[in-house]
Amino acid sequence: MRARKLTFAALVVAAGLSLTACQSDDDAVGQADPSSGSSASATSSSGGGSDANGSDQGGGKESAAPDSAGSASGGSASGGSGSGSDAKGGKCTTDGLKITAQDTFIEGDPDGSIAVGLTNTSGADCVISGFAGVDLKTNAGDISATRKGEPGDPYVLKNGKEIDFYVSYPLNESGGSGVRITGLVVTPPNETKSVTLDWPGKDSLPVTDGSGSSVLVGPIGSAGQGG
């Protein structure tokens, strides 16, 4: 009997140990499952965070890209603008130009003409284009020249070099005194400062009712092209 009791007790103890081991395994599995679920949740959250962060970062990158592009383009534009300025020079100004005028009328021409020369004396290359402002001073008041022709592309006027444009005007063939010309006022393109020169052409304009030919000015570089 004692031996059976001991055997039975041993069996009970073994069963208890076995049950305990099973419970430990179950607990371990239970702990492993939540743990892997948390890990998946973390991955998902991390993925969501990555998406969110990715969006944020993407937004940040997109935001940074325009900024960097803007900065790059700004720098590039600014650099390009700067290098363009360096390459071409700044705008030709009245103070940096020597302005002269000479009679270019040829006998037999229907109108009188003069050539106005702009010489770059600024010490550096400069850019010029368009039309100069031209006014004839007369004893009857100032007469503004009308533009004729199309302006060319901006022109790089090298230091010490000259570029010309023409001014044409009607000849006084009436035999009368007409309108006496007393001076020529020239304002370089995109400038407000003018220079007054002696008039080099014929002394007078015909008195007209406005239906005759008028004083015309050609674009920069046009001397000899019309009248």
Side-chain angles (χ1 to χ4, degrees):
M1 288 292 295
R2 182 176 179 80
R4 283 185 184 178
K5 284 181 182 179
L6 287 174
T7 301
F8 179 76
L11 288 175
V12 170
V13 170
L17 290 174
S18 176
L19 180 59
T20 301
C22 287
Q23 286 175 345
S24 295
D25 289 343
D26 289 341
D27 289 342
V29 170
Q31 288 174 358
D33 288 343
S35 155
S36 64
S38 172
S39 177
S41 172
T43 302
S44 180
S45 170
S46 162
S50 178
D51 288 342
N53 291 337
S55 296
D56 291 340
Q57 288 174 356
K61 285 181 184 176
E62 288 172 6
S63 195
D67 287 344
S68 75
S71 168
S73 78
S76 172
S78 159
S81 175
S83 69
S85 297
D86 293 338
K88 294 183 176 179
K91 178 188 74 172
C92 295
T93 63
T94 304
D95 290 336
L97 294 170
K98 178 183 177 183
I99 303 176
T100 58
Q102 63 178 338
D103 187 10
T104 55
F105 171 72
I106 297 175
E107 201 65 42
D109 285 351
D111 294 306
S113 62
I114 66 168
V116 178
L118 306 174
T119 302
N120 181 2
T121 58
S122 66
D125 296 350
C126 64
V127 180
I128 193 166
S129 65
F131 290 86
V134 170
D135 295 287
L136 271 58
K137 297 182 77 66
T138 77
N139 62 338
D142 291 355
I143 298 174
S144 295
T146 300
R147 294 176 178 183
K148 180 181 179 182
E150 293 295 326
D153 293 331
Y155 180 81
V156 179
L157 186 59
K158 300 289 186 182
N159 183 48
K161 298 298 181 179
E162 177 180 337
I163 191 167
D164 303 332
F165 64 88
Y166 77 85
V167 176
S168 70
Y169 59 95
L171 296 171
N172 179 17
E173 298 176 333
S174 66
S177 60
V179 177
R180 188 165 54 88
I181 305 172
T182 60
L184 173 68
V185 181
V186 177
T187 309
N190 304 309
E191 282 287 280
T192 55
K193 185 175 181 180
S194 303
V195 171
T196 300
L197 306 172
D198 291 336
W199 175 250
K202 302 298 180 181
D203 293 337
S204 63
L205 300 171
V207 177
T208 68
D209 57 4
S211 60
S213 60
S214 58
V215 179
L216 302 174
V217 56
I220 297 296
S222 65
Q225 294 180 4

